[in-house]
């Protein structure tokens, strides 16, 4: 066999052997490639899933944060429903007065201060609310006016109503007074039960930590300005507004009982309006007091009227620096008699209301300790009868700044 034939034979043998090997290698290569593609695809899918999960968690967190913000700052309808349900549950407690006062006493003034400290350190989760506390024997004849006053300001106020236990509530669900009644007891004019009712309202309102200002009102009270003006006025100062003065006449010092000595001296004796506005800190002090309350309850009997002397004397003696020493509720004592003047339909005019609203000049101390002179010295007025509701609703948009 020649050289050429031998080379051809080797090439043929090489082709015969190499073809199966190439097929095997090709098949193995495809398998490796498939495995490689599977691994790469699986890895990419895993990374994608992890990133998708992280995105979902982030979106959920953002959604929760946004929802919390809406709840806390925009005061959505959902928040109001939850707040109303929560507050209604609080109002439906079955604590006795003593149990309630004991519970409130555990909320020391330091907790109130720490709340403000948290709030001023960029923790704005709680909005300051003003607690409007209504003391009435039955219904509220001017409820429709107050409904207009509060309209559109949900989340910035709380409402508490103390009425006779036998009174059957009939406010519609659309009213701000619906289900706002606290556990109440009978109140008798000229007795310590008047003070008890006020303290009971304070204690119930103190259960809500976001309530930082407290206003005691009667069923004949009306607001003299719109909600924003009154809210800013109250929350813009650290002072309470409790009338307290030394009256040397028989209706003043003449009501002092010497048996109150030595805890209460006649030089400490003060008189003032029952209708007050107070800070949370001072409200806590009033509820915590047992010493002076017991003395008044024992020795201040008609013609001494506890509601006109207890809180004015107590605040003057122990916490005078916390009060502006004047009331924000206007009444007309110009007519003779034991009670202030009552107003009826013909009394309600633009001129009359503006004369009350801007009667005097008075100092106003802001939270920055700035003392300014204000033309707003009173925010509320009484005693307005039921028949004044129609004219008040009619002129309130133009004069008082709220309503349709």
């Amino acid at each position: 066999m020649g050289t050429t034939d031998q080379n051809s034979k080797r090439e043929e043998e090489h082709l015969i052997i190499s073809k199966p090997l190439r097929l095997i290698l090709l098949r193995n290569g495809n398998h490796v490639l498939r495995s490689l593609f599977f691994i790469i695809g699986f890895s990419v899918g895993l990374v994608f899933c992890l990133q998708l999960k992280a995105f979902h968690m982030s979106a959920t967190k953002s959604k929760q944060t946004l929802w919390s913000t809406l709840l806390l700052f925009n005061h959505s309808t959902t928040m109001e429903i939850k707040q109303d349900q929560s507050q209604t549950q609080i109002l439906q407690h079955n604590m006795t007065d003593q149990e309630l006062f004991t519970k409130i006493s555990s909320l020391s003034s330091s907790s109130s201060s720490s709340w403000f400290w948290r709030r001023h350190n960029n923790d704005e989760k709680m909005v300051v609310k003003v607690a409007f506390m209504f003391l009435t024997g039955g219904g509220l004849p001017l409820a429709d006016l107050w409904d207009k006053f509060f309209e559109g300001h949900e989340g910035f106020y709380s409402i508490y109503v103390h009425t006779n236990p036998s009174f059957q509530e009939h406010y519609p669900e659309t009213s701000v007074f619906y289900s706002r009644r606290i556990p109440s007891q009978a109140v008798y004019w000229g007795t310590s039960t008047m003070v008890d009712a006020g303290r009971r309202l304070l204690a119930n309102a103190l259960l809500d930590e976001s309530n930082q200002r407290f206003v005691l009102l009667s069923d004949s009270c009306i607001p003299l300005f719109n909600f924003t003006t009154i809210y800013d006025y109250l929350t813009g100062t650290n002072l309470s507004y409790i009338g307290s003065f030394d009256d040397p006449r028989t209706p003043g010092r003449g009501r002092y009982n010497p048996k109150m000595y030595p805890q209460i001296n006649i030089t400490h004796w003060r008189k003032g309006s029952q209708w007050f506005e107070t800070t949370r800190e001072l409200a806590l002090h009033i509820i915590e007091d047992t010493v002076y309350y017991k003395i008044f309850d024992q020795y201040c009997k008609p013609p001494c009227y506890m509601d006109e002397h207890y809180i004015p004397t107590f605040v003057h003696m122990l916490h005078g620096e916390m009060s502006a020493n004047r009331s924000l509720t206007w009444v007309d004592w110009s007519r003779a008699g034991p009670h202030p003047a009552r107003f009826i339909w013909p009394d309600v005019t633009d001129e009359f209301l503006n004369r009350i609203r801007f009667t005097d000049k008075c100092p106003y101390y802001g939270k920055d300790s700035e003392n300014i002179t204000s033309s707003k010295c009173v925010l509320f007025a009484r005693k307005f009868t039921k028949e004044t509701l129609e004219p008040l609703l009619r002129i309130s948009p133009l004069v008082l700044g709220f309503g349709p």
Side-chain angles (χ1 to χ4, degrees):
M1 184 179 296
T3 303
T4 302
D5 295 336
Q6 290 179 351
N7 289 337
S8 298
K9 186 177 181 179
R10 290 195 191 98
E11 289 177 1
E12 290 176 1
E13 292 176 350
H14 175 73
L15 290 173
I16 294 172
I17 296 173
S18 299
K19 187 174 181 180
L21 286 175
R22 285 201 301 270
L23 290 173
I24 292 172
L25 290 174
L26 181 61
R27 290 171 182 170
N28 290 339
N30 290 338
H31 178 72
V32 171
L33 287 174
R34 290 194 190 98
S35 299
L36 182 61
F37 286 141
F38 173 78
I39 293 173
I40 293 173
F42 178 78
S43 300
V44 171
L46 181 62
V47 172
F48 178 76
C49 288
L50 291 174
Q51 293 205 358
L52 183 62
K53 182 178 181 181
F55 173 79
H56 174 73
M57 292 176 65
S58 176
T60 302
K61 184 176 180 182
S62 299
K63 182 179 179 180
Q64 290 175 342
T65 303
L66 176 61
W67 179 242
S68 299
T69 303
L70 289 172
L71 289 182
L72 296 169
F73 296 105
N74 292 342
H75 310 290
S76 66
T77 303
T78 303
M79 182 198 74
E80 289 309 314
I81 293 174
K82 290 182 179 179
Q83 275 192 346
D84 289 343
Q85 291 174 345
S86 175
Q87 291 183 2
T88 300
Q89 290 174 356
I90 291 175
L91 294 183
Q92 292 175 348
H93 66 77
N94 58 359
M95 289 183 285
T96 64
D97 280 357
Q98 186 56 50
E99 291 171 338
L100 178 61
F101 294 163
T102 300
K103 181 178 180 65
I104 294 304
S105 295
S106 66
L107 305 174
S108 64
S109 59
S110 60
S111 67
S112 178
S113 299
S114 66
W115 183 88
F116 273 112
W117 178 256
R118 294 196 306 273
R119 186 172 183 272
H120 290 309
N121 277 273
N122 298 321
D123 183 2
E124 299 289 342
K125 292 183 178 180
M126 293 180 68
V127 176
V128 171
K129 291 194 294 187
V130 177
F132 291 83
M133 309 176 300
F134 292 84
L135 176 55
T136 175
L140 292 167
L142 303 175
D144 289 347
L145 180 71
W146 284 101
D147 278 331
K148 294 299 181 182
F149 169 78
F150 288 113
E151 191 175 76
H153 302 285
E154 293 76 12
F156 292 91
Y157 64 84
S158 301
I159 294 176
Y160 303 85
V161 179
H162 186 295
T163 187
N164 192 294
S166 63
F167 173 70
Q168 298 298 316
E169 188 177 90
H170 59 273
Y171 302 111
E173 292 187 21
T174 54
S175 173
V176 296
F177 296 103
Y178 181 76
S179 296
R180 301 309 305 158
R181 177 175 174 174
I182 69 168
S184 306
Q185 296 185 23
V187 175
Y188 304 97
W189 184 84
T191 69
S192 60
T193 59
M194 296 282 286
V195 174
D196 295 339
R199 296 178 83 218
R200 198 173 293 122
L201 280 162
L202 268 181
N204 278 275
L206 282 165
L207 290 173
D208 184 347
E209 188 182 9
S210 60
N211 288 331
Q212 295 292 315
R213 310 292 297 199
F214 304 81
V215 182
L216 182 64
L217 300 161
S218 76
D219 55 358
S220 67
C221 282
I222 66 167
L224 293 174
F225 299 92
N226 60 36
F227 181 89
T228 302
T229 300
I230 292 178
Y231 178 88
D232 290 345
Y233 194 102
L234 297 177
T235 59
T237 178
N238 291 322
L239 290 179
S240 298
Y241 289 87
I242 297 175
S244 178
F245 62 96
D246 181 15
D247 185 354
R249 303 174 305 156
T250 299
R253 287 197 178 195
R255 295 175 177 175
Y256 171 78
N257 190 332
K259 292 182 180 180
M260 294 180 172
Y261 184 85
Q263 289 89 350
I264 303 174
N265 195 303
I266 192 170
T267 58
H268 299 144
W269 190 253
R270 290 296 183 273
K271 183 179 180 179
S273 172
Q274 174 188 6
W275 315 104
F276 60 77
E277 189 283 328
T278 181
T279 63
R280 185 176 183 87
E281 184 176 2
L282 186 52
L284 285 167
H285 288 313
I286 293 172
I287 296 301
E288 290 169 347
D289 173 52
T290 56
V291 175
Y292 298 97
Y293 173 84
K294 289 180 179 178
I295 295 173
F296 271 88
D297 189 35
Q298 184 175 2
Y299 297 116
C300 183
K301 306 292 184 182
C304 176
Y305 301 102
M306 190 170 169
D307 57 291
E308 294 183 7
H309 296 280
Y310 164 61
I311 291 181
T313 301
F314 172 76
V315 172
H316 169 73
M317 289 179 60
L318 303 178
H319 308 288
E321 75 285 353
M322 294 184 179
S323 176
N325 199 31
R326 61 185 176 88
S327 175
L328 293 177
T329 302
W330 180 89
V331 289
D332 181 7
W333 286 102
S334 63
R335 306 176 193 179
H339 302 287
R342 301 177 69 198
F343 303 107
I344 58 177
W345 181 304
D347 295 317
V348 181
T349 64
D350 298 13
E351 294 77 15
F352 172 66
L353 291 178
N354 282 326
R355 191 164 63 248
I356 298 174
R357 282 153 42 95
F358 304 108
T359 300
D360 301 311
K361 299 289 184 180
C362 55
Y364 176 82
Y365 296 89
K367 286 186 175 180
D368 56 1
S369 299
E370 181 184 3
N371 179 12
I372 63 174
T373 299
S374 174
S375 61
K376 298 183 182 70
C377 299
V378 289
L379 302 180
F380 311 96
R382 59 186 301 265
K383 304 173 75 172
F384 287 79
T385 59
K386 182 178 181 178
E387 61 185 275
T388 63
L389 177 61
E390 194 281 329
L392 284 169
L393 287 173
R394 178 168 38 85
I395 68 176
S396 64
L398 186 62
V399 179
L400 304 181
F402 62 87

